[in-house]
Structures are given as structure tokens and as C-alpha cells.
Amino acid sequence: MVRVDKELCSRCGLCAKVCPHKLFEVRAKEVLVTADGCMACGHCRAVCPVSAVQVTDVADVLSFQTFSERTESMAPGDFETDRLVQLMRSRRSCRNYRQDVVDIEILEDLVRIGTTAPSGTNSQSWQYTILPRRKDVKSLGELTAGYYRELNSQARNPVYRLLAKIFAGDALGKYYREYYDSVQEALRQWDEEQVDRLFHGAAAAILVTGETTASCPAEDALLATQNILLAAHAMGLGSCLIGFVVEAVRRSQKMKKALGLGGTTRLYSVIALGYPAITYQHVAGRRRVQPRILHLA
Ligand SMILES: Cc1cc2nc3c(=O)[nH]c(=O)nc-3n(C[C@H](O)[C@H](O)[C@H](O)COP(=O)(O)O)c2cc1C
């Protein structure tokens, strides 16, 4: 996957230093790639001061459609921390959307931004599904409502709860105690008043899936998801994770089939997106944390 141009190479050895798998050997007259195991992370190419290293299968240009791309790397420290943290704290889960359509180019750019996240062994085994229109989001909402209607009909049945407890633990009982009432009310509003308590009226959505055969599929998908959430805010969009849909898809064969998911592909996040109808005046507050400082002997 890696090629070193002999004519350009100055044998500085930086590629060998940064390679996670130590695949390079700096010889008197040339730099050789002497071992297998390249995961195409591209560190060698990125560090080379004379652009002598090429990595196949990796696109440097991500071809964003809604903003111009900067491909020069920022050095550590070369960004305003206060602005970054302000962006992070200004992103809130949006539960009030305008009905304006989100251009497909913006949604595609968000997916590309997702792919800039780290992934275990650089597997990048994530996939992204875009629901570009409100009607697509509503259809997924209807499928999800169907799942919860069925779950609630089981949960409200004391015999079913008892049998479930005996054979499968108390998950259904816990669901009944903690969620049944609010889900029932949300279903009523969905059916009778066309109030969307699930997607909050979002105009579009992105689903992030991963391959369970990858080394860290959940982490990969959720890191990509966080990139998308932050970028959405930067691009003027509101976003909200919809865990209720993730849960439903994981448990419902019918939903998996409708979304074309199966085999080793698993859904990790559902991101509702749209232009926010409400803007906030203050950044997010959080509980204070006291980190544990550990000096290991
Ligand atoms: C895994 C996960 C699942 C979530 N699922 C939902 C959901 O189904 N519906 C919803 O309105 N918010 C959902 N949220 C949003 C959280 O409620 C929200 O992140 C939290 O209250 C903090 O608020 P903030 O995102 O505005 O900072 C979810 C968040 C996470 C991380």
C-alpha cells in the first residue's frame, strides 16, 4: 500500500519513526518498506517533508461540497481551545426543528466529516445511511412506533412480565416500570395528534452502522457520530441522537429488514438533523467531575 519515491526521498527517517507497525527500513541509499501489516493510516505520507511517500487506497481530498477544504495540517496548539470548547458546549440536543429541507450536499458532507474520526486499527468499517427527507424520517418513526406498540402490549401483560422474568431476567419489568407510561403517551400523541416525540420533527437523519467483525465497531461509529454532531452545529444545523430507534432496530428483525441491515452489520447511532427552530442563549452546564489521579507504582 505504501510506495517511497527514491528520487524525492531524503532518507530523513521520519516515516520510519511515525509508522505504528515499524514497516520502514532506512538504508544507506534508500528507504524500504520491509514488512507487511500496513493499515494505511497515512502517517508516513503526512509526515514526509518532501512528499516522497504515497499510500494507495487513501483519499487526501475528501471533496466537501458545501465548504472549501483545507488540507494543510494544523500543528498541535494551532487552534483556539476556547473556541473549540465553546462549540462543544453550544451543541445541544435539538428537539424543535423548522421544516426546511436539509440539502443532500450538506448531509453528504456530514458523512465525510464523520469519516475523519479515529477507528480501531484504522478499519473505518463504518457505513452511513442518509434519510434525506422528512417523509423518510417519518417512515422510520412509524416502524419504530410499531416496535414499541408491540413491546408495550407485552409489557402491560403481568403474565408475560412474570414469564419473561423467569426465563430472561427482569428487563421487561424494568422497562414497564421506567418507560411504559411515557412511551404509551408518545404513541398516543403520534397516532392521534401527529406529534413526533421520537424524532422531534427532524427534517433528515443519518444512521451510523458498523461491522461487528471490526476490532472496535461501537467506538468507531460513536466517535464518527460525535464529529457529525459538532460539525452539524458548526454548519447551522440542530441534531439529536435517537437511542430509542437504535434499541428498536437492534431487537426487531422487521426493522432490520426494512433498513437493509443484517449479518455482521449493526446499527450504532441514529442522528436526527434539521434547522433548529429555537436558539439558545447559554452553553451547556455539566455536573462537576473530580478525576481520580493515579500514580501507579
Ligand atoms: C446514546 C444516546 C441516546 C440518546 N437518545 C435520545 C433519544 O432517543 N431522544 C432524545 O430526545 N434524546 C436522546 N439523547 C440525547 C440526550 O438526552 C442528551 O444528550 C442529554 O440530555 C444531554 O443534553 P445535550 O445533548 O443537549 O447536551 C441521547 C443521547 C445519547 C448519548
Side-chain angles (χ1 to χ4, degrees), residues 18-82:
V18 298
C19 175
H21 295 306
K22 304 295 169 210
L23 304 181
F24 293 85
E25 199 180 308
V26 184
R27 298 213 175 143
K29 288 196 174 149
E30 60 186 333
V31 172
L32 293 177
V33 183
T34 54
D36 291 334
C38 176
M39 57 182 183
C41 67
H43 282 233
C44 50
R45 204 203 79 72
V47 80
C48 180
V50 292
S51 303
V53 185
Q54 292 306 321
V55 184
T56 54
D57 282 349
V58 178
D60 283 333
V61 175
L62 296 183
S63 305
F64 295 108
Q65 304 163 92
T66 61
F67 58 95
S68 53
E69 189 166 353
R70 302 186 193 203
T71 54
E72 63 281 9
S73 177
M74 293 173 97
D78 196 9
F79 193 80
E80 299 85 8
T81 311
D82 57 336

Side-chain angles (χ1 to χ4, degrees), residues 182-238:
S182 59
V183 170
Q184 197 61 21
E185 174 57 12
L187 285 169
R188 190 198 62 74
Q189 290 183 6
W190 175 270
D191 290 336
E192 294 173 16
E193 299 166 12
Q194 286 75 53
V195 172
D196 177 5
R197 293 265 306 274
L198 185 66
F199 280 101
H200 314 293
I206 295 177
L207 281 50
V208 187
T209 53
E211 291 301 310
T212 53
T213 48
S215 57
C216 317
E219 293 84 345
D220 300 348
L222 294 173
L223 286 162
T225 297
Q226 174 67 354
N227 276 7
I228 293 173
L229 299 181
L230 289 177
H233 190 85
M235 293 162 87
L237 290 169

Side-chain angles (χ1 to χ4, degrees), residues 91-95 197-198 200 240-245 284 286:
R91 177 223 55 83
R92 304 309 309 268
S93 294
C94 180
R95 299 186 180 92
R197 293 265 306 274
L198 185 66
H200 314 293
C240 188
L241 291 175
I242 311 296
F244 275 101
V245 180
R286 287 289 189 256

Side-chain angles (χ1 to χ4, degrees), residues 274-286:
Y275 289 96
I278 296 176
T279 48
Y280 288 63
Q281 304 301 322
H282 300 285
V283 295
R286 287 289 189 256

